[in-house]
Amino acid sequence: MSPDVIVVGAGPAGATAARTLALGGARVWLLDRHEFPRNKPCGGAISARALTRFPYLEGQLHRIAVHPVTKLHLESPGGCRSTPQSEDRAVLMIRRLDFDHLLVELARQAGAELMAGVEIAQAAMDEGGVSLTSRDGRRFRAPLAIAADGVNSVVARRLGLNPGWPRSSVALDMMEETPIETLKCAEPDALWVSYGHGGSAGYAYIFPKARHVNVGIGYVLSHFREQVDESPYELQRRFVDSLARRGLLHGVSSRRHFTPFLIPIGGPLPKTAHERVLLAGDAGGFVNGFTAEGIYYAMVTGELAARAALGSARSPEPVATRYVRSWKREIGAELRDSVLLQRYVLGEARRVDLAVKGAERHPRLARAVVQYASGRRSYWSARRRVLLRAPGLVPTLVAQGLTGHR
Ligand SMILES: Cc1cc2nc3c(=O)[nH]c(=O)nc-3n(C[C@H](O)[C@H](O)[C@H](O)COP(=O)(O)OP(=O)(O)OC[C@H]3O[C@@H](n4cnc5c(N)ncnc54)[C@H](O)[C@@H]3O)c2cc1C
């Protein structure tokens, strides 16, 4: 029997959408080009607020290795440092190999049908539905499709929703996820993040996990293409060596575990839904432009797209309109602010210094941001606290259009 909805891509966005649809009584096919478990290049840091937003996760995470972290070491190009800390777990470190498989299993248990090994190559839409064709010629059709096929979404491209990311709207994140037998973090209970690394447009990080460490450097793609002469892996090896010399890491880089990959950091696409297709996760550009956090937003948009689809029978309003309104209401402001902050703070190394110094001088400000990440404070409350504690920021933010209210 043909499905009510086809979800393309079984990452966090697609698996969450499929689970929500199946629990809501829809017939859903979840298509992915890979067999699961499969890996996805990713730091694997999920802000703990995901547990508040998706309460069913708490009771399931014991099935995989999760490493909770409470501390963050921040560094700036001018040598400023700050170490905000939370009383409670602020970030959960997972491996995507495990986490994505868990989400797919939850979708299957809810009743979604997983079709693995299906790589969609063509997509077309007409008045009656969406037709998808796989690379090996199989055809799939449903009245509605959710495209959750990641940053290089074929569905978004074929249907004209994404003509291609401008180079200033994607970051090239060059990262390895290496077992601790080869490379070990000196402080396994803390994340280390350096903003403005190798020029203001870059960042670097060390993320400890239960049995692995993720280490990487990211650059806005335009900066990487224009300013960086080295190959991605040479850059990485030299970076890991420098961290080892500083005593932040023990061991050596592993090329085998190195996987450079793109992240959309320019904010959601101008059009994230059209008639019978809804884009979720990276396919729609739902990533925090300042932190490059995407897993949380992928799950949120996957769920909202599914809810919009489930509400179609009851509402005279088009599903695309309802979906766009719902994501704008829940995450629109924070995603917009994140891109403005990225462009402002990371626009000059001096501003990165000021931001890190600010976090050190105003611990209550840093605490508010950590509480937001851990789910104990809303975005709006954290934002208000930051603007109150750092009144010097206000004139600048006014100029940037950042102080608007809901
Ligand atoms: C190096 C790196 C580090 C990152 N670190 C973090 C981090 O620490 N924390 C965080 O929150 N975010 C991080 N991100 C971002 C995060 O990985 C993404 O935002 C997140 O994976 C988006 O989820 P998604 O479900 O939209 O897409 P994906 O996770 O990319 O899943 C897409 C799925 O679609 C499938 N697919 C793709 N094309 C097709 C096709 N044509 N046909 C069928 N199936 C297809 C793929 O196989 C895949 O399973 C990082 C990204 C990178 C690149």
Side-chain angles (χ1 to χ4, degrees), residues 59-394:
Q60 298 294 333
L61 286 177
H62 67 274
R63 293 164 63 180
I64 63 172
V66 179
H67 182 63
V69 172
T70 54
K71 208 196 272 181
L72 168 66
H73 290 298
L74 275 175
E75 275 192 21
S76 75
C80 303
R81 287 180 192 176
S82 175
T83 304
Q85 190 158 5
S86 137
E87 310 91 69
D88 205 357
R89 56 192 176 178
V91 176
L92 308 172
M93 300 304 308
I94 49 86
R95 293 189 74 204
R96 292 293 298 273
L97 186 79
D98 305 328
F99 185 70
D100 290 19
H101 189 214
L102 174 67
L103 294 187
V104 166
E105 282 306 304
L106 293 179
R108 290 180 65 183
Q109 280 164 21
E113 187 172 338
L114 174 69
M115 298 187 180
V118 176
E119 179 168 2
I120 296 303
Q122 295 296 336
M125 189 163 50
D126 56 43
E127 280 189 4
V130 182
S131 299
L132 301 159
T133 310
S134 65
R135 193 165 288 285
D136 57 8
R138 281 176 281 172
R139 285 172 183 274
F140 305 86
R141 188 169 165 83
L144 187 78
I146 294 177
D149 47 345
V151 62
N152 299 313
S153 172
V154 166
V155 179
R157 265 185 287 142
R158 294 285 181 263
L159 295 178
L161 294 170
N162 186 358
W165 303 106
R167 282 182 184 179
S168 57
S169 295
V170 276
L172 177 64
D173 195 311
M174 297 160 278
M175 189 247 353
E176 66 185 270
E177 183 176 74
T178 300
I180 53 175
E181 289 73 22
T182 305
L183 190 61
K184 204 168 173 176
C185 195
E187 199 179 344
D189 296 329
L191 306 183
W192 177 90
V193 176
S194 162
Y195 273 118
H197 179 85
S200 60
Y203 58 86
Y205 57 93
I206 308 174
F207 287 178
K209 295 193 177 167
R211 303 281 324 154
H212 293 76
V213 60
N214 286 50
V215 189
I217 307 174
Y219 286 112
V220 176
L221 188 60
S222 49
H223 174 91
F224 180 78
R225 289 269 161 85
E226 287 152 25
Q227 311 281 334
V228 181
D229 285 336
E230 270 176 297
S231 74
Y233 187 67
E234 270 314 298
L235 200 64
Q236 170 77 0
R237 200 187 42 74
R238 214 163 42 75
F239 173 55
V240 170
D241 286 349
S242 73
L243 294 174
R245 277 197 301 277
R246 286 181 58 188
L248 296 173
L249 286 174
H250 305 302
V252 290
S253 166
S254 165
R255 186 171 205 148
R256 195 155 66 88
H257 297 99
F258 177 67
T259 46
F261 207 76
L262 295 177
I263 313 183
I265 49 152
L269 288 168
K271 213 165 182 187
T272 54
H274 181 55
E275 295 177 2
R276 294 171 175 279
V277 171
L278 314 178
L279 307 184
D282 280 12
F286 295 104
V287 172
N288 185 301
F290 192 64
T291 61
E293 174 181 15
I295 301 168
Y296 176 80
Y297 300 101
M299 293 180 70
V300 169
T301 51
E303 193 196 87
L304 294 177
R307 280 203 209 146
L310 289 169
S312 292
R314 294 190 305 273
S315 172
E317 230 182 342
V319 60
T321 310
R322 282 180 290 111
Y323 171 55
V324 172
R325 193 173 51 232
S326 69
W327 75 248
K328 283 194 173 165
R329 191 186 303 132
E330 183 171 343
I331 53 171
E334 64 186 81
L335 290 180
R336 181 202 60 204
D337 289 359
S338 75
V339 176
L340 291 170
L341 267 181
Q342 171 218 114
R343 293 197 175 139
Y344 178 70
V345 178
L346 304 185
E348 273 183 33
R350 185 182 57 87
R351 293 187 194 142
V352 184
D353 289 338
L354 284 174
V356 174
K357 220 182 268 176
E360 186 60 15
R361 280 199 190 144
H362 304 284
R364 289 179 67 184
L365 181 154
R367 202 174 312 133
V369 176
V370 172
Q371 285 171 339
Y372 150 66
S374 60
R376 279 179 291 118
R377 192 184 273 272
S378 73
Y379 177 68
W380 288 100
S381 160
R383 185 181 199 267
R384 234 182 339 262
R385 174 59 64 94
V386 169
L387 293 181
L388 281 174
R389 286 280 145 196
L393 260 181
V394 174

